[in-house]
Short mmCIF file of all heavy atoms in Angstrom, two decimals:
data_model
loop_
_atom_site.label_atom_id
_atom_site.label_comp_id
_atom_site.label_asym_id
_atom_site.label_seq_id
_atom_site.Cartn_x
_atom_site.Cartn_y
_atom_site.Cartn_z
N MET A 1 -3.21 31.74 -27.53
CA MET A 1 -4.22 31.08 -26.72
C MET A 1 -5.61 31.50 -27.20
O MET A 1 -5.88 32.68 -27.41
CB MET A 1 -4.01 31.45 -25.25
CG MET A 1 -4.98 30.78 -24.34
SD MET A 1 -4.64 31.29 -22.63
CE MET A 1 -5.16 29.84 -21.81
N ALA A 2 -6.46 30.54 -27.36
CA ALA A 2 -7.81 30.81 -27.86
C ALA A 2 -8.68 31.49 -26.80
O ALA A 2 -8.59 31.17 -25.62
CB ALA A 2 -8.45 29.51 -28.29
N VAL A 3 -9.50 32.40 -27.24
CA VAL A 3 -10.44 33.07 -26.36
C VAL A 3 -11.71 32.22 -26.31
O VAL A 3 -12.21 31.80 -27.35
CB VAL A 3 -10.76 34.49 -26.89
CG1 VAL A 3 -11.82 35.15 -26.04
CG2 VAL A 3 -9.51 35.34 -26.93
N THR A 4 -12.21 31.98 -25.10
CA THR A 4 -13.42 31.18 -24.91
C THR A 4 -14.33 31.90 -23.92
O THR A 4 -13.97 32.94 -23.38
CB THR A 4 -13.09 29.79 -24.34
OG1 THR A 4 -12.65 29.92 -22.98
CG2 THR A 4 -12.02 29.08 -25.17
N VAL A 5 -15.48 31.30 -23.64
CA VAL A 5 -16.38 31.88 -22.63
C VAL A 5 -15.78 31.74 -21.24
O VAL A 5 -16.28 32.35 -20.29
CB VAL A 5 -17.80 31.28 -22.69
CG1 VAL A 5 -18.48 31.64 -23.98
CG2 VAL A 5 -17.78 29.79 -22.46
N ASP A 6 -14.72 30.95 -21.10
CA ASP A 6 -14.03 30.82 -19.82
C ASP A 6 -12.81 31.72 -19.72
O ASP A 6 -12.06 31.65 -18.74
CB ASP A 6 -13.66 29.35 -19.59
CG ASP A 6 -14.90 28.47 -19.43
OD1 ASP A 6 -15.78 28.84 -18.62
OD2 ASP A 6 -15.01 27.45 -20.12
N SER A 7 -12.63 32.58 -20.71
CA SER A 7 -11.57 33.59 -20.66
C SER A 7 -12.06 34.77 -19.84
O SER A 7 -13.25 35.06 -19.78
CB SER A 7 -11.24 34.07 -22.07
OG SER A 7 -10.75 33.02 -22.87
N LYS A 8 -11.12 35.47 -19.25
CA LYS A 8 -11.48 36.67 -18.49
C LYS A 8 -11.90 37.77 -19.46
O LYS A 8 -11.43 37.84 -20.59
CB LYS A 8 -10.31 37.12 -17.64
CG LYS A 8 -9.89 36.04 -16.64
CD LYS A 8 -9.42 36.60 -15.38
CE LYS A 8 -8.92 35.48 -14.48
NZ LYS A 8 -9.69 35.24 -13.36
N ILE A 9 -12.78 38.62 -18.98
CA ILE A 9 -13.29 39.73 -19.80
C ILE A 9 -12.13 40.56 -20.35
O ILE A 9 -12.14 40.96 -21.51
CB ILE A 9 -14.24 40.63 -18.97
CG1 ILE A 9 -15.43 39.83 -18.44
CG2 ILE A 9 -14.70 41.83 -19.79
CD1 ILE A 9 -16.31 39.20 -19.48
N LYS A 10 -11.12 40.78 -19.53
CA LYS A 10 -9.96 41.58 -19.96
C LYS A 10 -9.30 40.96 -21.20
O LYS A 10 -8.92 41.67 -22.12
CB LYS A 10 -8.96 41.68 -18.82
CG LYS A 10 -7.78 42.56 -19.11
CD LYS A 10 -6.89 42.70 -17.90
CE LYS A 10 -5.75 43.64 -18.19
NZ LYS A 10 -4.92 43.88 -17.01
N GLU A 11 -9.20 39.63 -21.23
CA GLU A 11 -8.59 38.95 -22.37
C GLU A 11 -9.48 39.04 -23.61
O GLU A 11 -9.00 39.19 -24.72
CB GLU A 11 -8.30 37.49 -22.03
CG GLU A 11 -7.26 37.32 -20.92
CD GLU A 11 -5.95 38.02 -21.24
OE1 GLU A 11 -5.45 37.87 -22.38
OE2 GLU A 11 -5.43 38.72 -20.37
N ILE A 12 -10.78 38.94 -23.39
CA ILE A 12 -11.71 39.04 -24.52
C ILE A 12 -11.64 40.44 -25.13
O ILE A 12 -11.64 40.60 -26.35
CB ILE A 12 -13.14 38.70 -24.07
CG1 ILE A 12 -13.21 37.21 -23.68
CG2 ILE A 12 -14.16 39.03 -25.16
CD1 ILE A 12 -14.49 36.80 -23.01
N MET A 13 -11.54 41.45 -24.28
CA MET A 13 -11.46 42.83 -24.77
C MET A 13 -10.21 43.08 -25.60
O MET A 13 -10.21 43.90 -26.51
CB MET A 13 -11.49 43.82 -23.60
CG MET A 13 -12.81 43.88 -22.90
SD MET A 13 -14.06 44.65 -23.93
CE MET A 13 -15.24 45.12 -22.70
N LYS A 14 -9.14 42.35 -25.32
CA LYS A 14 -7.88 42.53 -26.06
C LYS A 14 -7.98 41.98 -27.49
O LYS A 14 -7.21 42.39 -28.35
CB LYS A 14 -6.74 41.81 -25.33
CG LYS A 14 -6.29 42.51 -24.08
CD LYS A 14 -5.15 41.74 -23.44
CE LYS A 14 -4.71 42.36 -22.14
NZ LYS A 14 -3.64 41.59 -21.49
N ASP A 15 -8.90 41.05 -27.70
CA ASP A 15 -9.08 40.46 -29.03
C ASP A 15 -10.30 41.11 -29.68
O ASP A 15 -11.44 40.82 -29.32
CB ASP A 15 -9.29 38.95 -28.89
CG ASP A 15 -9.37 38.24 -30.23
OD1 ASP A 15 -9.91 38.82 -31.21
OD2 ASP A 15 -8.93 37.08 -30.30
N GLU A 16 -10.06 42.00 -30.60
CA GLU A 16 -11.13 42.78 -31.23
C GLU A 16 -12.22 41.90 -31.83
O GLU A 16 -13.41 42.18 -31.70
CB GLU A 16 -10.55 43.71 -32.30
CG GLU A 16 -11.53 44.69 -32.87
CD GLU A 16 -11.90 45.81 -31.90
OE1 GLU A 16 -11.10 46.13 -31.01
OE2 GLU A 16 -12.99 46.36 -32.05
N ARG A 17 -11.81 40.80 -32.47
CA ARG A 17 -12.81 39.91 -33.08
C ARG A 17 -13.69 39.27 -32.02
O ARG A 17 -14.91 39.17 -32.19
CB ARG A 17 -12.11 38.81 -33.89
CG ARG A 17 -11.28 39.33 -35.04
CD ARG A 17 -10.49 38.23 -35.71
NE ARG A 17 -9.70 37.50 -34.72
CZ ARG A 17 -9.32 36.24 -34.84
NH1 ARG A 17 -9.63 35.55 -35.91
NH2 ARG A 17 -8.61 35.67 -33.91
N ALA A 18 -13.09 38.84 -30.92
CA ALA A 18 -13.86 38.22 -29.83
C ALA A 18 -14.79 39.23 -29.17
O ALA A 18 -15.95 38.93 -28.90
CB ALA A 18 -12.90 37.62 -28.80
N ALA A 19 -14.28 40.42 -28.94
CA ALA A 19 -15.10 41.47 -28.32
C ALA A 19 -16.28 41.83 -29.22
O ALA A 19 -17.39 42.07 -28.73
CB ALA A 19 -14.24 42.70 -28.02
N ASP A 20 -16.06 41.83 -30.53
CA ASP A 20 -17.15 42.12 -31.48
C ASP A 20 -18.23 41.05 -31.40
O ASP A 20 -19.42 41.36 -31.50
CB ASP A 20 -16.62 42.22 -32.90
CG ASP A 20 -15.86 43.51 -33.17
OD1 ASP A 20 -15.99 44.47 -32.38
OD2 ASP A 20 -15.13 43.55 -34.18
N ILE A 21 -17.83 39.80 -31.26
CA ILE A 21 -18.80 38.70 -31.16
C ILE A 21 -19.66 38.89 -29.92
O ILE A 21 -20.89 38.80 -29.99
CB ILE A 21 -18.08 37.33 -31.13
CG1 ILE A 21 -17.49 37.02 -32.49
CG2 ILE A 21 -19.05 36.23 -30.68
CD1 ILE A 21 -16.56 35.83 -32.52
N VAL A 22 -19.04 39.15 -28.79
CA VAL A 22 -19.80 39.32 -27.55
C VAL A 22 -20.70 40.54 -27.65
O VAL A 22 -21.87 40.49 -27.26
CB VAL A 22 -18.87 39.41 -26.32
CG1 VAL A 22 -19.67 39.64 -25.06
CG2 VAL A 22 -18.02 38.15 -26.19
N ALA A 23 -20.19 41.61 -28.21
CA ALA A 23 -20.97 42.85 -28.34
C ALA A 23 -22.19 42.67 -29.24
O ALA A 23 -23.21 43.34 -29.05
CB ALA A 23 -20.09 43.98 -28.86
N LYS A 24 -22.09 41.76 -30.19
CA LYS A 24 -23.22 41.49 -31.07
C LYS A 24 -24.43 40.99 -30.27
O LYS A 24 -25.57 41.32 -30.58
CB LYS A 24 -22.81 40.44 -32.12
CG LYS A 24 -23.90 40.05 -33.06
CD LYS A 24 -23.38 39.25 -34.24
CE LYS A 24 -22.88 37.88 -33.84
NZ LYS A 24 -22.57 37.04 -35.01
N TYR A 25 -24.17 40.23 -29.23
CA TYR A 25 -25.24 39.66 -28.40
C TYR A 25 -25.50 40.46 -27.13
O TYR A 25 -26.53 40.30 -26.49
CB TYR A 25 -24.90 38.23 -28.03
CG TYR A 25 -24.83 37.31 -29.22
CD1 TYR A 25 -23.61 36.93 -29.76
CD2 TYR A 25 -25.99 36.86 -29.83
CE1 TYR A 25 -23.54 36.10 -30.86
CE2 TYR A 25 -25.94 36.03 -30.95
CZ TYR A 25 -24.71 35.64 -31.44
OH TYR A 25 -24.65 34.83 -32.54
N SER A 26 -24.56 41.28 -26.76
CA SER A 26 -24.67 42.06 -25.52
C SER A 26 -24.27 43.51 -25.81
O SER A 26 -23.11 43.90 -25.58
CB SER A 26 -23.78 41.45 -24.44
OG SER A 26 -23.91 42.15 -23.23
N PRO A 27 -25.21 44.30 -26.32
CA PRO A 27 -24.89 45.70 -26.65
C PRO A 27 -24.29 46.43 -25.44
O PRO A 27 -24.73 46.24 -24.32
CB PRO A 27 -26.25 46.28 -27.03
CG PRO A 27 -27.06 45.10 -27.45
CD PRO A 27 -26.60 43.97 -26.59
N GLY A 28 -23.27 47.19 -25.71
CA GLY A 28 -22.61 47.92 -24.63
C GLY A 28 -21.39 47.20 -24.08
O GLY A 28 -20.64 47.77 -23.30
N PHE A 29 -21.19 45.96 -24.48
CA PHE A 29 -20.06 45.19 -23.97
C PHE A 29 -18.75 45.94 -24.16
O PHE A 29 -17.92 45.99 -23.26
CB PHE A 29 -19.99 43.82 -24.64
CG PHE A 29 -18.85 42.97 -24.17
CD1 PHE A 29 -18.92 42.31 -22.96
CD2 PHE A 29 -17.70 42.83 -24.93
CE1 PHE A 29 -17.87 41.52 -22.52
CE2 PHE A 29 -16.65 42.05 -24.50
CZ PHE A 29 -16.73 41.39 -23.29
N LYS A 30 -18.56 46.51 -25.33
CA LYS A 30 -17.30 47.20 -25.62
C LYS A 30 -17.30 48.67 -25.21
O LYS A 30 -16.24 49.26 -25.09
CB LYS A 30 -16.99 47.11 -27.12
CG LYS A 30 -16.64 45.72 -27.56
CD LYS A 30 -16.51 45.57 -29.07
CE LYS A 30 -15.73 46.64 -29.75
NZ LYS A 30 -15.53 46.41 -31.18
N THR A 31 -18.47 49.25 -25.00
CA THR A 31 -18.54 50.69 -24.78
C THR A 31 -18.87 51.11 -23.35
O THR A 31 -18.59 52.24 -22.96
CB THR A 31 -19.58 51.31 -25.72
OG1 THR A 31 -20.85 50.68 -25.51
CG2 THR A 31 -19.18 51.14 -27.18
N ASP A 32 -19.48 50.23 -22.57
CA ASP A 32 -19.88 50.57 -21.21
C ASP A 32 -18.63 50.66 -20.32
O ASP A 32 -17.90 49.69 -20.15
CB ASP A 32 -20.84 49.52 -20.66
CG ASP A 32 -21.45 49.91 -19.33
OD1 ASP A 32 -20.87 50.72 -18.60
OD2 ASP A 32 -22.53 49.38 -19.02
N LYS A 33 -18.40 51.83 -19.77
CA LYS A 33 -17.21 52.05 -18.93
C LYS A 33 -17.20 51.16 -17.68
O LYS A 33 -16.15 50.87 -17.13
CB LYS A 33 -17.11 53.51 -18.54
CG LYS A 33 -16.85 54.43 -19.71
CD LYS A 33 -16.72 55.87 -19.26
CE LYS A 33 -16.71 56.86 -20.35
NZ LYS A 33 -15.90 56.75 -21.46
N GLN A 34 -18.36 50.72 -17.24
CA GLN A 34 -18.42 49.87 -16.05
C GLN A 34 -17.91 48.45 -16.30
O GLN A 34 -17.69 47.70 -15.36
CB GLN A 34 -19.85 49.83 -15.52
CG GLN A 34 -20.28 51.15 -14.94
CD GLN A 34 -21.65 51.07 -14.30
OE1 GLN A 34 -22.31 50.04 -14.30
NE2 GLN A 34 -22.07 52.18 -13.72
N MET A 35 -17.70 48.10 -17.55
CA MET A 35 -17.15 46.77 -17.85
C MET A 35 -15.79 46.57 -17.20
O MET A 35 -15.43 45.45 -16.87
CB MET A 35 -17.06 46.55 -19.37
CG MET A 35 -18.38 46.32 -20.05
SD MET A 35 -19.33 44.93 -19.38
CE MET A 35 -18.26 43.58 -19.79
N LYS A 36 -15.06 47.64 -16.99
CA LYS A 36 -13.74 47.52 -16.35
C LYS A 36 -13.86 46.93 -14.95
O LYS A 36 -12.93 46.32 -14.45
CB LYS A 36 -13.04 48.86 -16.30
CG LYS A 36 -12.57 49.31 -17.66
CD LYS A 36 -11.78 50.59 -17.59
CE LYS A 36 -11.33 50.96 -18.99
NZ LYS A 36 -10.51 52.15 -19.01
N LEU A 37 -15.02 47.08 -14.34
CA LEU A 37 -15.23 46.53 -13.00
C LEU A 37 -15.28 45.01 -12.99
O LEU A 37 -15.07 44.39 -11.95
CB LEU A 37 -16.53 47.08 -12.39
CG LEU A 37 -16.61 48.59 -12.21
CD1 LEU A 37 -18.02 48.99 -11.78
CD2 LEU A 37 -15.58 49.06 -11.20
N VAL A 38 -15.55 44.40 -14.14
CA VAL A 38 -15.66 42.94 -14.20
C VAL A 38 -14.55 42.30 -15.04
O VAL A 38 -14.66 41.14 -15.44
CB VAL A 38 -17.05 42.51 -14.73
CG1 VAL A 38 -18.15 42.93 -13.78
CG2 VAL A 38 -17.32 43.05 -16.13
N TYR A 39 -13.49 43.02 -15.31
CA TYR A 39 -12.39 42.49 -16.11
C TYR A 39 -11.82 41.18 -15.57
O TYR A 39 -11.31 40.37 -16.32
CB TYR A 39 -11.26 43.52 -16.22
CG TYR A 39 -11.36 44.43 -17.43
CD1 TYR A 39 -12.53 44.57 -18.15
CD2 TYR A 39 -10.26 45.16 -17.84
CE1 TYR A 39 -12.61 45.41 -19.25
CE2 TYR A 39 -10.32 46.00 -18.94
CZ TYR A 39 -11.50 46.11 -19.64
OH TYR A 39 -11.57 46.93 -20.73
N GLY A 40 -11.89 40.97 -14.27
CA GLY A 40 -11.33 39.76 -13.66
C GLY A 40 -12.25 38.56 -13.73
O GLY A 40 -11.85 37.44 -13.40
N LEU A 41 -13.49 38.75 -14.18
CA LEU A 41 -14.45 37.65 -14.28
C LEU A 41 -14.35 36.99 -15.65
O LEU A 41 -13.96 37.61 -16.63
CB LEU A 41 -15.88 38.16 -14.11
CG LEU A 41 -16.25 38.82 -12.78
CD1 LEU A 41 -17.69 39.29 -12.83
CD2 LEU A 41 -16.04 37.85 -11.63
N THR A 42 -14.77 35.73 -15.71
CA THR A 42 -14.88 35.08 -17.01
C THR A 42 -16.22 35.48 -17.62
O THR A 42 -17.14 35.90 -16.90
CB THR A 42 -14.81 33.55 -16.90
OG1 THR A 42 -15.95 33.08 -16.19
CG2 THR A 42 -13.52 33.10 -16.23
N LEU A 43 -16.33 35.30 -18.90
CA LEU A 43 -17.60 35.60 -19.57
C LEU A 43 -18.70 34.69 -19.03
O LEU A 43 -19.83 35.11 -18.81
CB LEU A 43 -17.44 35.42 -21.08
CG LEU A 43 -18.55 35.98 -21.93
CD1 LEU A 43 -18.68 37.49 -21.74
CD2 LEU A 43 -18.30 35.65 -23.39
N ARG A 44 -18.35 33.43 -18.77
CA ARG A 44 -19.34 32.49 -18.23
C ARG A 44 -19.85 32.97 -16.87
O ARG A 44 -21.04 32.94 -16.59
CB ARG A 44 -18.72 31.09 -18.10
CG ARG A 44 -19.74 30.03 -17.71
CD ARG A 44 -19.12 28.65 -17.57
NE ARG A 44 -18.38 28.20 -18.71
CZ ARG A 44 -18.90 27.60 -19.78
NH1 ARG A 44 -20.20 27.43 -19.86
NH2 ARG A 44 -18.13 27.19 -20.76
N LYS A 45 -18.94 33.43 -16.01
CA LYS A 45 -19.34 33.92 -14.68
C LYS A 45 -20.19 35.18 -14.81
O LYS A 45 -21.21 35.32 -14.13
CB LYS A 45 -18.10 34.19 -13.82
CG LYS A 45 -18.41 34.72 -12.44
CD LYS A 45 -19.17 33.69 -11.63
CE LYS A 45 -19.43 34.20 -10.23
NZ LYS A 45 -20.30 33.31 -9.47
N LEU A 46 -19.79 36.10 -15.69
CA LEU A 46 -20.54 37.33 -15.88
C LEU A 46 -21.97 37.02 -16.33
O LEU A 46 -22.91 37.68 -15.91
CB LEU A 46 -19.85 38.22 -16.92
CG LEU A 46 -20.55 39.54 -17.24
CD1 LEU A 46 -20.65 40.42 -15.99
CD2 LEU A 46 -19.81 40.27 -18.34
N SER A 47 -22.13 35.98 -17.11
CA SER A 47 -23.47 35.63 -17.62
C SER A 47 -24.42 35.18 -16.52
O SER A 47 -25.62 35.10 -16.74
CB SER A 47 -23.37 34.57 -18.71
OG SER A 47 -23.04 33.31 -18.17
N THR A 48 -23.90 34.89 -15.34
CA THR A 48 -24.78 34.47 -14.23
C THR A 48 -25.39 35.65 -13.49
O THR A 48 -26.29 35.45 -12.69
CB THR A 48 -24.01 33.59 -13.21
OG1 THR A 48 -23.01 34.37 -12.56
CG2 THR A 48 -23.40 32.37 -13.89
N PHE A 49 -24.92 36.85 -13.77
CA PHE A 49 -25.45 38.04 -13.11
C PHE A 49 -26.79 38.42 -13.75
O PHE A 49 -26.94 38.35 -14.96
CB PHE A 49 -24.48 39.22 -13.26
CG PHE A 49 -23.24 39.11 -12.43
CD1 PHE A 49 -22.46 37.97 -12.44
CD2 PHE A 49 -22.84 40.16 -11.63
CE1 PHE A 49 -21.30 37.87 -11.68
CE2 PHE A 49 -21.69 40.08 -10.86
CZ PHE A 49 -20.92 38.93 -10.89
N PRO A 50 -27.76 38.83 -12.95
CA PRO A 50 -29.07 39.20 -13.50
C PRO A 50 -28.99 40.30 -14.56
O PRO A 50 -29.77 40.30 -15.51
CB PRO A 50 -29.85 39.70 -12.28
CG PRO A 50 -29.13 39.21 -11.09
CD PRO A 50 -27.71 38.97 -11.51
N GLN A 51 -28.04 41.20 -14.43
CA GLN A 51 -27.89 42.30 -15.37
C GLN A 51 -27.40 41.82 -16.74
O GLN A 51 -27.44 42.55 -17.72
CB GLN A 51 -26.90 43.35 -14.85
CG GLN A 51 -27.25 43.93 -13.52
CD GLN A 51 -26.63 43.16 -12.36
OE1 GLN A 51 -26.53 41.94 -12.37
NE2 GLN A 51 -26.23 43.88 -11.32
N ALA A 52 -26.91 40.59 -16.80
CA ALA A 52 -26.34 40.06 -18.04
C ALA A 52 -27.24 39.00 -18.66
O ALA A 52 -26.76 38.04 -19.26
CB ALA A 52 -24.95 39.51 -17.75
N LYS A 53 -28.54 39.15 -18.54
CA LYS A 53 -29.47 38.15 -19.06
C LYS A 53 -29.30 37.93 -20.56
O LYS A 53 -29.30 36.79 -21.02
CB LYS A 53 -30.91 38.54 -18.75
CG LYS A 53 -31.90 37.52 -19.28
CD LYS A 53 -33.28 37.73 -18.77
CE LYS A 53 -34.31 36.76 -19.30
NZ LYS A 53 -33.94 35.70 -20.15
N GLU A 54 -29.13 38.99 -21.33
CA GLU A 54 -28.93 38.84 -22.78
C GLU A 54 -27.70 37.99 -23.07
O GLU A 54 -27.71 37.15 -23.96
CB GLU A 54 -28.79 40.20 -23.46
CG GLU A 54 -30.07 40.97 -23.58
CD GLU A 54 -29.88 42.28 -24.32
OE1 GLU A 54 -28.88 42.43 -25.04
OE2 GLU A 54 -30.74 43.14 -24.17
N LEU A 55 -26.67 38.21 -22.31
CA LEU A 55 -25.45 37.44 -22.47
C LEU A 55 -25.72 35.97 -22.15
O LEU A 55 -25.32 35.08 -22.90
CB LEU A 55 -24.38 38.01 -21.54
CG LEU A 55 -22.99 37.41 -21.63
CD1 LEU A 55 -22.40 37.61 -23.01
CD2 LEU A 55 -22.10 38.04 -20.59
N ALA A 56 -26.40 35.71 -21.05
CA ALA A 56 -26.72 34.34 -20.65
C ALA A 56 -27.57 33.64 -21.70
O ALA A 56 -27.36 32.46 -22.01
CB ALA A 56 -27.42 34.34 -19.30
N ASP A 57 -28.52 34.37 -22.26
CA ASP A 57 -29.42 33.80 -23.27
C ASP A 57 -28.68 33.36 -24.53
O ASP A 57 -29.16 32.50 -25.26
CB ASP A 57 -30.51 34.79 -23.64
CG ASP A 57 -31.51 35.03 -22.53
OD1 ASP A 57 -31.54 34.24 -21.56
OD2 ASP A 57 -32.26 36.02 -22.63
N HIS A 58 -27.53 33.96 -24.79
CA HIS A 58 -26.80 33.68 -26.03
C HIS A 58 -25.41 33.08 -25.79
O HIS A 58 -24.60 33.02 -26.71
CB HIS A 58 -26.64 34.98 -26.84
CG HIS A 58 -27.95 35.55 -27.26
ND1 HIS A 58 -28.69 35.03 -28.30
CD2 HIS A 58 -28.67 36.58 -26.78
CE1 HIS A 58 -29.79 35.72 -28.44
NE2 HIS A 58 -29.82 36.67 -27.53
N LEU A 59 -25.16 32.58 -24.59
CA LEU A 59 -23.82 32.08 -24.25
C LEU A 59 -23.39 30.94 -25.17
O LEU A 59 -22.23 30.91 -25.61
CB LEU A 59 -23.77 31.64 -22.78
CG LEU A 59 -22.38 31.47 -22.21
CD1 LEU A 59 -21.61 32.79 -22.24
CD2 LEU A 59 -22.43 30.94 -20.80
N ALA A 60 -24.28 30.03 -25.50
CA ALA A 60 -23.93 28.91 -26.38
C ALA A 60 -23.54 29.41 -27.77
O ALA A 60 -22.57 28.92 -28.37
CB ALA A 60 -25.07 27.92 -26.47
N GLU A 61 -24.26 30.40 -28.28
CA GLU A 61 -23.95 30.95 -29.59
C GLU A 61 -22.60 31.67 -29.56
O GLU A 61 -21.80 31.54 -30.50
CB GLU A 61 -25.03 31.93 -30.03
CG GLU A 61 -26.36 31.25 -30.29
CD GLU A 61 -27.53 32.20 -30.09
OE1 GLU A 61 -27.82 32.55 -28.94
OE2 GLU A 61 -28.13 32.58 -31.11
N ILE A 62 -22.35 32.42 -28.49
CA ILE A 62 -21.07 33.11 -28.35
C ILE A 62 -19.94 32.10 -28.29
O ILE A 62 -18.91 32.25 -28.95
CB ILE A 62 -21.08 34.01 -27.10
CG1 ILE A 62 -22.09 35.15 -27.29
CG2 ILE A 62 -19.68 34.56 -26.81
CD1 ILE A 62 -22.38 35.94 -26.02
N GLU A 63 -20.15 31.05 -27.51
CA GLU A 63 -19.12 30.01 -27.37
C GLU A 63 -18.78 29.40 -28.73
O GLU A 63 -17.61 29.22 -29.06
CB GLU A 63 -19.62 28.94 -26.40
CG GLU A 63 -18.59 27.89 -26.06
CD GLU A 63 -19.03 27.00 -24.92
OE1 GLU A 63 -20.24 26.80 -24.72
OE2 GLU A 63 -18.14 26.49 -24.23
N LYS A 64 -19.80 29.12 -29.51
CA LYS A 64 -19.58 28.54 -30.84
C LYS A 64 -18.82 29.49 -31.75
O LYS A 64 -17.87 29.10 -32.43
CB LYS A 64 -20.93 28.18 -31.47
CG LYS A 64 -20.81 27.53 -32.81
CD LYS A 64 -22.17 27.20 -33.39
CE LYS A 64 -21.97 26.55 -34.73
NZ LYS A 64 -22.88 26.99 -35.73
N GLU A 65 -19.21 30.75 -31.76
CA GLU A 65 -18.54 31.73 -32.62
C GLU A 65 -17.10 31.98 -32.19
O GLU A 65 -16.23 32.16 -33.04
CB GLU A 65 -19.33 33.03 -32.66
CG GLU A 65 -20.62 32.90 -33.45
CD GLU A 65 -21.30 34.23 -33.69
OE1 GLU A 65 -20.59 35.21 -34.00
OE2 GLU A 65 -22.54 34.28 -33.58
N LEU A 66 -16.85 31.99 -30.90
CA LEU A 66 -15.47 32.18 -30.41
C LEU A 66 -14.61 31.00 -30.83
O LEU A 66 -13.44 31.18 -31.22
CB LEU A 66 -15.44 32.35 -28.89
CG LEU A 66 -16.00 33.65 -28.34
CD1 LEU A 66 -16.00 33.62 -26.82
CD2 LEU A 66 -15.23 34.85 -28.85
N ALA A 67 -15.16 29.81 -30.80
CA ALA A 67 -14.40 28.60 -31.20
C ALA A 67 -14.03 28.65 -32.67
O ALA A 67 -13.01 28.08 -33.09
CB ALA A 67 -15.21 27.36 -30.89
N GLU A 68 -14.84 29.31 -33.47
CA GLU A 68 -14.58 29.41 -34.91
C GLU A 68 -13.50 30.44 -35.26
O GLU A 68 -13.07 30.50 -36.41
CB GLU A 68 -15.88 29.75 -35.64
CG GLU A 68 -16.90 28.65 -35.59
CD GLU A 68 -18.27 29.06 -36.13
OE1 GLU A 68 -18.46 30.23 -36.49
OE2 GLU A 68 -19.15 28.18 -36.17
N LEU A 69 -13.05 31.21 -34.29
CA LEU A 69 -12.02 32.21 -34.55
C LEU A 69 -10.66 31.59 -34.87
O LEU A 69 -9.86 32.19 -35.57
CB LEU A 69 -11.88 33.18 -33.37
CG LEU A 69 -13.01 34.16 -33.15
CD1 LEU A 69 -12.72 35.02 -31.93
CD2 LEU A 69 -13.22 35.03 -34.38
N ASP A 70 -10.39 30.43 -34.33
CA ASP A 70 -9.06 29.83 -34.53
C ASP A 70 -8.95 29.05 -35.81
O ASP A 70 -9.73 28.57 -36.44
CB ASP A 70 -8.71 28.93 -33.36
CG ASP A 70 -8.44 29.76 -32.11
OD1 ASP A 70 -7.97 30.89 -32.25
OD2 ASP A 70 -8.70 29.25 -31.02
#
């Protein structure tokens, strides 16, 4: 199953390539221990949080790069 911005954070973390893409635009994505608190959210939902502004600013780019993984 392809990882998209509508995948849950937990699923994105399981795919090293996908997690690397997100981390490129959102430093700390793979290393911040608090990310476990949002594992049940989709990347799109997480991007709506004020703390995730960098993620929101680059969501279209992330979506495009994730689509190119398959």
Side-chain angles (χ1 to χ4, degrees):
M1 182 180 211
V3 176
T4 70
V5 294
D6 294 310
S7 298
K8 300 215 184 248
I9 301 299
K10 185 175 183 176
E11 295 304 314
I12 293 171
M13 291 290 200
K14 287 180 183 178
D15 185 326
E16 188 72 25
R17 298 173 307 153
D20 286 343
I21 289 169
V22 178
K24 178 168 68 171
Y25 296 102
S26 182
F29 180 78
K30 291 172 46 175
T31 57
D32 189 336
K33 294 182 191 311
Q34 291 186 358
M35 287 303 296
K36 289 184 179 183
L37 299 173
V38 296
Y39 268 17
L41 298 178
T42 65
L43 193 61
R44 187 181 306 276
K45 179 64 178 173
L46 179 61
S47 73
T48 66
F49 288 51
Q51 303 91 322
K53 180 169 178 4
E54 286 183 19
L55 185 61
D57 290 346
H58 297 284
L59 196 62
E61 293 154 288
I62 294 168
E63 186 169 28
K64 182 180 180 222
E65 289 189 42
L66 290 175
E68 293 172 356
L69 288 179
D70 290 329

